[in-house]
């Protein structure tokens, strides 16, 4: 489970009586829009998202980033931890591409002596405070369970004290339907939270216990320190394409020959209407004298497709993709400079994503070692978390 940002923000204010999401209203609306562009697939009266272009963009960038990825770490703890990290690398990169940032949370398992990772989406975590450099210094997350007809909500707040120690506060609430936070109950009331402490102080972590995978693009929504996703710049264009697709749908729907009749010719049966038997009778007179009109307009397919092709080319430019990955391959020849520019932008885009992942992966390994040692798991010192990453030959000219 994951509370959406607005819901989690509201519950956090109720549960802790303080703080709230630091992102501006414009940023919160933008983040909700990015995730809807990725996940939504239901047609509305205004838009048809059936092409799932937001999904396509994120998938293509993620696949290109890890197309020839390989990584290694010292044998033992770091090797097994890296294997656990590799299992979530795709999800982490996709969520960061959408939301601007995603967090890798090391979860120690003392019974097996291993550490595994969970991925926290940006729309399912509150940034309660940031430092002067824009790094989160306090965050909130939430989880929900349904047990025996009751809804349990766990709120977790992470912050650092004056000594730089990680402070984790956990509070459990119970309600009948989950619409409200409900009343606070002991953590032992739920098996999943029975092992938690209301307040836990962890020294030597050096942060909030999360490794951040952050996109490099500057904020183009409100200019704040909040990272933005790859769909931030082209969001308006994506909606325009979806609106055009819905309009084209209507052209096809209305393009079929139809007979328009006055309402008195239709009788109601149940919730719908039907034509009475014997309504149509062969006549030799001019059809226009019967009061019926045949409607069969020509479809404007070519103009729609031409406009859409131009929109897809613009979309490639806004997202740093190579020409032809989304839109049709241009029939007209391009100069060597144009070809080099397109492929160069694409290569730089993928390089930035790879650099972001390599930095996050190294931070995650070091953090895992710190947390493992706190929980009694045998782990080398964090500074021994040597990470070797290979990205292949770097040839991005072929589509992946």
């Amino acid at each position: 489970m994951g509370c959406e940002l607005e819901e989690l923000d509201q519950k956090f204010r109720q549960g802790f009586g303080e703080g709230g999401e630091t992102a501006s209203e414009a940023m919160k609306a933008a983040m909700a829009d990015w995730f809807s562009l990725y996940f939504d697939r239901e047609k509305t009266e205004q838009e048809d998202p059936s092409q799932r272009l937001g999904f396509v963009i994120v998938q293509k960038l993620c696949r290109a980033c890890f197309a020839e990825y390989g990584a290694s770490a010292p044998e033992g703890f770091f090797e097994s931890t890296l294997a656990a990290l590799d299992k979530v690398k795709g999800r982490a990169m996709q969520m960061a591409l959408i939301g601007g940032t995603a967090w890798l949370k090391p979860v120690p398992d003392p019974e097996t002596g291993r550490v595994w990772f969970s991925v926290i989406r940006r729309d399912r975590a509150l940034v309660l405070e940031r430092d002067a450099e824009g790094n989160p210094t306090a965050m909130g997350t939430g989880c929900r369970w349904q047990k025996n007809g009751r809804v349990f909500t766990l709120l977790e707040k992470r912050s650092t004290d004056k000594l730089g120690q990680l402070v984790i506060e956990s509070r459990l609430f119970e309600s009948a339907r989950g619409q409200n936070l409900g009343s606070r109950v002991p953590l032992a009331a739920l098996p999943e939270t029975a092992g938690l402490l209301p307040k836990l102080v962890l020294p030597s972590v050096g942060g909030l216990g999360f490794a951040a995978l952050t996109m490099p693009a500057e904020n183009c929504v409100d200019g704040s320190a909040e990272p933005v996703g790859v769909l931030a710049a082209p969001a308006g264009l994506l909606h325009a394409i979806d609106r055009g697709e819905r309009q084209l749908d209507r052209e096809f729907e209305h393009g079929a020959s139809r007979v328009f009749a006055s309402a008195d010719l239709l009788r109601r049966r149940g919730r719908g209407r039907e034509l009475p038997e014997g309504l149509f009778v062969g006549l030799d007179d001019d059809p226009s004298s019967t009061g019926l009109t045949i409607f069969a307009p020509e479809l404007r397919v070519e103009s729609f497709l031409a406009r859409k092709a131009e929109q897809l080319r613009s979309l490639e430019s806004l997202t740093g993709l190579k020409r032809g990955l989304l839109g049709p391959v241009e029939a007209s020849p391009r100069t060597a400079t144009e070809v080099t520019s397109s492929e160069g932008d694409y290569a730089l885009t993928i390089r930035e994503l790879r650099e972001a992942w390599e930095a996050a992966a190294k931070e995650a390994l070091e953090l895992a070692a710190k947390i493992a040692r706190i929980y009694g798991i045998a782990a080398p010192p964090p500074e021994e978390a040597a990470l070797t990453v290979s990205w292949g030959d770097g040839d991005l000219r072929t589509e992946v």
Side-chain angles (χ1 to χ4, degrees):
M1 168 271 170
C3 298
E4 301 300 332
L5 197 61
E6 291 290 347
E7 180 186 356
L8 180 58
D9 194 5
Q10 180 184 14
K11 284 180 166 50
F12 230 83
R13 292 177 186 274
Q14 296 173 6
F16 283 88
E18 61 181 50
E21 171 59 49
T22 57
S24 67
E25 292 301 320
M27 273 304 305
K28 287 190 283 188
M31 284 188 281
D33 188 38
W34 305 336
F35 282 95
S36 70
L37 285 169
Y38 184 84
F39 286 106
D40 284 359
R41 56 188 178 86
E42 297 296 330
K43 185 188 299 184
T44 67
E45 285 298 314
Q46 290 76 33
E47 299 185 12
D48 179 6
S50 58
Q51 295 186 90
R52 307 294 298 275
L53 288 175
F55 174 87
V56 172
I57 292 169
V58 170
Q59 293 298 312
K60 283 184 177 293
L61 288 174
C62 184
R63 287 200 299 267
C65 179
F66 294 113
E68 300 178 81
Y69 171 78
S72 62
E75 293 183 0
F77 174 83
F78 287 121
E79 186 177 42
S80 64
T81 304
L82 179 60
L85 185 61
D86 283 345
K87 291 180 180 179
V88 300
K89 68 180 186 296
R91 174 174 171 77
M93 179 59 71
Q94 291 171 51
M95 293 302 104
L97 283 166
I98 302 168
T101 188
W103 291 278
L104 296 160
K105 177 183 178 182
V107 182
D109 186 354
E111 292 185 2
T112 62
R114 295 177 179 268
V115 175
W116 56 277
F117 292 88
S118 65
V119 178
I120 303 176
R121 288 165 36 173
R122 177 60 183 95
D123 65 332
R124 294 183 175 178
L126 299 176
V127 176
L128 305 173
E129 295 176 5
R130 290 185 182 274
D131 61 19
E133 297 179 353
N135 301 311
T137 55
M139 289 180 60
T141 55
C143 292
R144 181 187 296 149
W145 296 268
Q146 292 186 355
K147 299 280 188 178
N148 301 320
R150 308 290 291 178
V151 177
F152 293 87
T153 303
L154 173 68
L155 298 180
E156 179 186 278
K157 178 183 177 182
R158 293 187 173 218
S159 59
T160 54
D161 60 16
K162 295 181 179 180
L163 299 177
Q165 301 177 117
L166 172 59
V167 180
I168 303 177
E169 299 176 68
S170 301
R171 298 182 182 182
L172 184 65
F173 299 84
E174 179 184 1
S175 64
R177 298 178 181 177
Q179 296 177 345
N180 297 318
L181 188 59
S183 57
R184 186 175 176 181
V185 296
L187 292 168
L190 198 64
E192 289 83 352
T193 60
L196 299 178
L197 296 175
K199 186 174 182 179
L200 176 65
V201 178
L202 298 178
S204 306
V205 173
L208 299 179
F210 298 147
L213 174 58
T214 303
M215 295 296 97
E218 284 294 321
N219 188 303
C220 60
V221 176
D222 64 357
S224 67
E226 188 73 48
V228 297
V230 70
L231 304 180
L237 184 55
L238 288 167
H239 284 294
I241 293 174
D242 288 347
R243 286 194 299 270
E245 195 67 22
R246 186 69 183 102
Q247 189 174 354
L248 185 59
D249 284 344
R250 288 196 177 93
E251 289 286 323
F252 277 100
E253 291 170 359
H254 296 164
S257 295
R258 296 184 176 191
V259 178
F260 291 83
S262 57
D264 63 305
L265 296 178
L266 300 173
R267 65 185 182 189
R268 186 172 295 279
R269 181 177 181 181
R271 295 185 177 180
R273 292 180 179 272
E274 66 174 11
L275 294 172
E277 295 182 7
L279 174 63
F280 292 99
V281 179
L283 298 175
D284 294 331
D285 296 337
D286 185 352
S288 62
S289 64
T290 65
L292 303 178
T293 303
I294 303 298
F295 178 69
E298 294 183 1
L299 298 177
R300 296 175 291 171
V301 178
E302 291 185 3
S303 60
F304 273 108
L305 293 181
R307 181 171 181 267
K308 182 177 177 181
E310 185 60 34
Q311 288 175 324
L312 291 175
R313 282 192 286 269
S314 298
L315 195 56
E316 290 166 343
S317 298
L318 284 171
T319 54
L321 288 174
K322 186 176 62 176
R323 286 293 176 90
L325 287 186
L326 294 177
V329 178
E330 294 173 309
S332 58
R334 290 185 292 159
T335 65
T337 301
E338 290 174 326
V339 173
T340 303
S341 176
S342 173
E343 295 185 352
D345 288 346
Y346 181 49
L348 288 174
T349 299
I350 302 304
R351 182 181 300 173
E352 288 177 343
L353 296 181
R354 290 173 172 176
E355 290 174 352
W357 170 254
E358 193 166 348
K362 191 172 190 312
E363 182 184 2
L365 290 181
E366 294 174 352
L367 184 59
K370 293 178 183 179
I371 293 178
R373 291 161 72 92
I374 292 174
Y375 280 83
I377 298 175
E383 55 270 19
E384 295 182 11
L387 177 65
T388 303
V389 177
S390 171
W391 298 107
D393 59 13
D395 188 354
L396 300 174
R397 289 176 295 177
T398 58
E399 180 179 355
V400 292

